Amino acid sequence: MKKILVIEDDKSILTIITDILEAEDFVVIGAKNGRVGIEKAQQEIPHLILCDVMMPEVDGYGVLKSLRENLVTEAIPFIFLTAKSTKADLREGMELGADDYLTKPFTRDELMKAINTRLDKQSVIKRRTQEQLDDLRSSITLSLPHELRTPLNGIIGYSQLIIEDFQDLEENEIFTMLENINVSAHRLYRLIQNFLLYTDLELLSRDRDRLQLFKTGSLSNPKSIIRDVALEKAKNFNRLKDLDIASENVNLKISEPNFRKIIDELLDNAFKFSPPGTKVQLIGRLLQNIFAVDFIDHGTGMSINEIANVGAYKQFNRKIYEQQGSGLGLVIAKRMTELHNGKLIIQSIPEEQTTVTVFLPTS
């Protein structure tokens, strides 16, 4: 049975609403004022809240503001009950996050229509959220075991060869195998770190205090950071000759570690999914109060559908390209950019050119 919290200081109105809702098989929780209403909302976690606007101690706007600042109650559908219905009143409530208004006096049908509309909408949101979680869970189930197994196979395989054939192997053969073990170990470490980072970013977006701390920081030397990360990445891929860098300097509202991570992940993709001998361009440019960084490569590219469905733990055309990586790098860069009030845009012509552009606000 659905629980509805009714916050109303007029006892007669509270009784009438309670009788109507109980007759419709709702569980009704009554609160005589805003302060009590806030306490009961946090204790009972109702499916919907009906709240009077004009009340002693804490008015309806104060109740709504308090509940929207609490992670537990912020998504509960909220309907105001009010004798006032000016545009200014409506706008104030909507700006705070109210879902609907009922102007007193209202009929039984008007009350039930407003409640059922909000509950139906909430059910749709929950169903879509569950579908997204199921899709994410399915993607993780399919992708994660493979991604962990690939570098682990390299580590186990080469180390087993060394153990079994140590006496018969040449020194240079052992060295080559150790190099491959080292590469696989670093790949596994990066993969695990990225899975942990992605999870933390999702949790971070729901924690306002941690998010605020995450967004603090600034830098004034994006040009040198871009150059440092790009040269190191090109060296790792043995593609220094393929790299073109050009950038301006500007003050950015992002910490150096977060900016480095974005550059690192997008460059990693650019080199990973383009063949040696083709150019990888990195261009930092100032657009009024926005700093744009373009990552341009001439590799496999992405279709319109793939760009629209960019998501964690997804790889595209694995059977065709046997891509190395979980697809998390792009998603992490996108998420970090958005958490810093920026935007990431992908433009691609498959098998010709892909341009990923990050837009970050300047300070």
Side-chain angles (χ1 to χ4, degrees):
M1 295 175 69
K2 299 286 187 182
K3 290 191 294 185
I4 295 182
L5 171 61
V6 183
I7 308 172
E8 171 64 68
D9 65 322
D10 188 316
K11 290 183 180 181
S12 61
I13 295 178
L14 178 58
T15 300
I16 292 170
I17 293 175
T18 299
D19 290 342
I20 292 173
L21 296 181
E22 287 181 342
E24 296 288 338
D25 291 328
F26 288 105
V27 174
V28 182
I29 305 159
K32 62 182 180 181
N33 58 49
R35 180 184 55 78
V36 175
I38 293 171
E39 292 174 358
K40 290 196 174 184
Q42 295 170 347
Q43 293 167 1
E44 301 287 344
I45 317 300
H47 295 88
L48 182 141
I49 297 172
L50 297 170
C51 183
D52 188 22
V53 173
M54 303 302 293
M55 293 183 295
E57 295 193 51
V58 181
D59 66 10
Y61 299 127
V63 172
L64 178 57
K65 186 174 186 297
S66 177
L67 297 182
R68 289 297 185 252
E69 290 175 350
N70 188 315
L71 289 175
V72 177
T73 58
E74 66 177 356
I76 299 174
F78 194 101
I79 300 175
F80 270 128
L81 308 175
T82 179
K84 302 193 305 179
S85 59
T86 66
K87 288 185 178 180
D89 295 325
L90 293 172
R91 185 165 57 250
E92 182 178 0
M94 292 304 179
E95 286 174 354
L96 287 171
D99 296 283
D100 204 352
Y101 264 88
L102 275 174
T103 304
K104 300 175 183 178
F106 47 80
T107 66
R108 179 194 185 101
D109 288 343
E110 289 172 339
L111 175 64
M112 295 312 305
K113 183 178 179 180
I115 290 173
N116 289 327
T117 297
R118 291 304 147 189
L119 290 177
D120 289 345
K121 183 177 180 180
Q122 191 74 355
S123 295
V124 170
I125 293 171
K126 287 184 177 180
R127 186 170 65 250
R128 288 177 179 172
T129 300
Q130 187 60 49
E131 288 172 356
Q132 292 173 344
L133 288 173
D134 290 342
D135 182 54
L136 179 59
R137 195 174 292 114
S138 175
S139 297
I140 293 172
T141 302
L142 293 173
S143 175
L144 183 54
H146 174 87
E147 295 306 324
L148 293 176
R149 190 164 55 245
T150 301
L152 273 175
N153 283 343
I155 295 170
I156 294 170
Y158 283 116
S159 61
Q160 190 68 31
L161 279 174
I162 294 174
I163 292 170
E164 292 177 354
D165 302 328
F166 184 78
Q167 299 297 333
D168 301 322
L169 292 171
E170 298 290 335
E171 185 176 308
N172 65 318
E173 292 177 314
I174 294 175
F175 183 78
T176 299
M177 290 182 187
L178 289 173
E179 280 187 322
N180 287 326
I181 289 173
N182 185 262
V183 169
S184 294
H186 276 90
R187 179 181 168 192
L188 181 60
Y189 176 80
R190 181 187 181 94
L191 174 63
I192 292 171
Q193 290 295 102
N194 273 357
F195 271 101
L196 293 174
L197 175 58
Y198 174 75
T199 302
D200 192 52
L201 289 174
E202 289 304 303
L203 294 173
L204 187 71
S205 64
R206 295 165 173 80
D207 188 327
R208 296 183 183 182
D209 292 336
R210 286 190 62 217
L211 179 58
Q212 195 62 37
L213 183 62
F214 177 80
K215 292 169 67 173
T216 58
S218 62
L219 58 90
S220 59
N221 59 333
K223 181 177 180 178
S224 62
I225 294 172
I226 287 171
R227 181 175 177 80
D228 290 347
V229 175
L231 290 175
E232 182 67 23
K233 186 64 64 176
K235 182 180 178 182
N236 291 341
F237 278 89
N238 195 26
R239 292 181 63 180
L240 282 170
K241 292 182 179 179
D242 295 342
L243 180 65
D244 279 346
I245 314 171
S247 181
E248 300 178 66
N249 255 344
V250 67
N251 294 322
L252 295 180
K253 295 179 180 179
I254 184 171
S255 68
E256 182 173 326
N258 290 346
F259 184 69
R260 281 183 177 273
K261 183 63 175 176
I262 293 170
I263 302 299
D264 180 86
E265 291 298 340
L266 295 179
L267 262 180
D268 193 75
N269 275 357
F271 281 118
K272 190 185 298 178
F273 302 130
S274 65
T278 61
K279 287 293 181 184
V280 171
Q281 297 169 274
L282 185 53
I283 304 168
R285 52 201 172 91
L286 183 61
L287 304 172
Q288 295 182 344
N289 296 323
I290 300 294
F291 186 63
V293 187
D294 300 312
F295 302 79
I296 306 169
D297 72 77
H298 304 273
T300 55
M302 299 170 68
S303 69
I304 294 175
N305 185 57
E306 288 168 349
I307 293 171
N309 288 286
V310 167
Y313 310 109
K314 290 187 178 180
Q315 284 186 283
F316 305 111
N317 298 322
R318 170 179 283 282
K319 292 180 180 179
I320 299 175
Y321 299 119
E322 282 302 310
Q323 298 177 358
Q324 300 298 309
S326 65
L328 271 180
L330 177 59
V331 179
I332 285 172
K334 183 175 186 292
R335 199 74 182 101
M336 292 183 77
T337 300
E338 291 170 345
L339 289 174
H340 284 90
N341 302 318
K343 183 187 294 186
L344 184 147
I345 293 177
I346 305 171
Q347 296 175 302
S348 184
I349 303 173
E351 305 300 335
E352 290 188 27
Q353 178 175 305
T354 298
T355 301
V356 179
T357 304
V358 170
F359 299 91
L360 289 168
T362 60
S363 56

